[in-house]
Amino acid sequence: ALKTKLKDEKNVIKLLTSLKNRLNNLSPRNRSLRLMRISKEWNFDLYSLEDIEINASYRILNCLLEDITPISLMNIKQSSCIYSDIDGEEKTIQLQKKLFYHLNSLNRKSKSLENETGIYDLFIGYPFVECLTTDGTYLRAPLLLNPCRLEKVNDPFYGWTLKTDNEFRPIFNNTLFMALNKFNDTVISEEFLILEKEVEEKNILEWALNYFNENNIPIVVEKELDNFIEKVPELKKDDIPNLQQGKIYIRPYAVLGIFPQSTSNLRPDY
């Protein structure tokens, strides 16, 4: 009877481990782990708004930090023109339409997934981390995820806004941390993985660096710490940067996108 009981316990543990691994989804195709390029349906680089409004990304980031909601992303009639040539206004209108329809595609996709699954996985990912792990796996993913909802406005100008809920604070990209645990020999406790730590500082980059250092997770910042955003470089498979293996680099990218977290959030139950 004892042997049978031990065998049953082993089978249960084996089953739970199998379910746990299925929930993790640590494949390179997971957009929460490796964002190689901006996709029309899945994500939107907030830096692209600089083409129609000077300092737009800085304004949006500040609104996010100050819990200002809704956040205006763009509206067709009010965006400032950065061109001084004769055709400047026409170019701006063309850019506005391009960005408007890009956001429209992202909105359709996020709503479609919500209808299918009942989950709205739209976040502003900022900042990002980049890492060539000790086993050679390349990661480029958001460190913090700010839950939000994309909404179209039509009056008095048509455009897009982001609505945030002050009750839902930024969360860590748990999928990323699981990948660092598995592929990079980075020792991150289970408590750290499921912790939803509130951002206590206005400078997110500096806060993230300090928080990681406090938890003995080394992270590299190559530029001056400040709340700023850079364009996400588009990468192909052959363009993966030659980073020092095992080092975790912080990048000032800000992406509005669908970053699935639902399965990783279920992981502690197993």
Side-chain angles (χ1 to χ4, degrees):
L2 179 60
K3 288 183 178 180
T4 302
K5 183 178 180 181
L6 290 173
K7 185 178 179 180
D8 290 342
E9 287 179 354
K10 287 181 180 179
N11 288 337
V12 170
I13 292 172
K14 186 176 179 181
L15 175 61
L16 290 176
T17 301
S18 175
L19 291 172
K20 185 176 179 180
N21 290 335
R22 288 173 63 186
L23 285 172
N24 285 347
N25 185 17
L26 300 182
S27 74
R29 293 186 297 274
N30 189 335
R31 289 176 303 280
S32 296
L33 289 180
R34 181 188 289 184
L35 183 66
M36 299 290 283
R37 62 183 180 86
I38 299 298
S39 169
K40 190 174 182 181
E41 284 192 327
W42 294 97
N43 34 59
F44 180 87
D45 188 352
L46 291 180
Y47 187 83
S48 62
L49 293 171
E50 297 285 341
D51 289 338
I52 60 170
E53 179 192 341
I54 300 170
N55 295 326
S57 56
Y58 183 77
R59 172 183 61 79
I60 293 167
L61 181 59
N62 278 340
C63 288
L64 192 66
L65 294 174
E66 297 289 343
D67 290 331
I68 297 173
T69 186
I71 303 171
S72 174
L73 289 184
M74 64 170 294
N75 48 62
I76 298 299
K77 298 296 182 181
Q78 292 182 331
S79 297
S80 57
C81 178
I82 64 174
Y83 300 100
S84 58
D85 57 274
I86 297 175
D87 298 326
E89 185 175 352
E90 183 179 347
K91 288 181 179 179
T92 301
I93 292 173
Q94 291 173 354
L95 283 168
Q96 287 174 337
K97 289 182 178 179
K98 179 181 177 181
L99 295 173
F100 181 91
Y101 290 120
H102 186 157
L103 288 167
N104 197 53
S105 296
L106 175 59
N107 185 53
R108 280 202 307 265
K109 188 66 175 180
S110 58
K111 283 189 173 182
S112 173
L113 291 173
E114 183 182 24
N115 290 335
E116 292 175 12
T117 65
I119 300 167
Y120 194 77
D121 270 330
L122 190 68
F123 300 90
I124 293 179
Y126 175 87
F128 270 58
V129 298
E130 192 173 27
C131 178
L132 187 62
T133 66
T134 52
D135 80 338
T137 301
Y138 176 70
L139 304 174
R140 186 167 76 167
L143 172 63
L144 289 171
L145 296 169
N146 298 268
C148 58
R149 182 170 287 272
L150 186 60
E151 293 190 356
K152 188 185 294 185
V153 292
N154 298 303
D155 184 34
F157 307 99
Y158 69 97
W160 294 97
T161 63
L162 279 178
K163 285 192 174 181
T164 59
D165 190 331
N166 294 341
E167 293 183 4
F168 295 95
R169 304 299 299 173
I171 60 172
F172 286 128
N173 181 358
N174 289 343
T175 308
L176 169 66
F177 290 135
M178 285 185 278
L180 291 173
N181 258 338
K182 183 175 181 179
F183 303 129
N184 201 50
D185 300 325
T186 303
V187 180
I188 304 174
S189 67
E190 193 77 13
E191 291 76 18
F192 187 94
L193 288 177
I194 63 175
L195 175 64
E196 295 186 2
K197 173 75 175 178
E198 289 191 6
V199 177
E200 298 174 350
E201 304 291 337
K202 294 303 180 184
N203 190 317
I204 297 182
L205 296 177
E206 185 174 355
W207 173 87
L209 178 63
N210 291 337
Y211 186 72
F212 270 67
N213 287 336
E214 289 171 3
N215 287 274
N216 299 315
I217 303 171
I219 194 164
V220 180
V221 180
E222 295 179 321
K223 297 184 179 181
E224 183 181 351
L225 292 175
D226 199 1
N227 286 327
F228 69 102
I229 296 175
E230 290 183 353
K231 182 179 180 180
V232 179
E234 182 172 329
L235 296 178
K236 296 181 180 178
K237 190 174 182 180
D238 296 335
D239 298 330
I240 291 177
N242 186 24
L243 303 172
Q244 184 176 347
Q245 281 191 260
K247 295 285 187 181
I248 304 171
Y249 298 83
I250 198 160
R251 303 298 189 206
Y253 308 145
V255 175
L256 172 65
I258 300 167
F259 297 108
Q261 292 291 298
S262 309
T263 54
S264 62
N265 288 339
L266 290 172
R267 183 175 178 268
D269 295 336
Y270 292 89

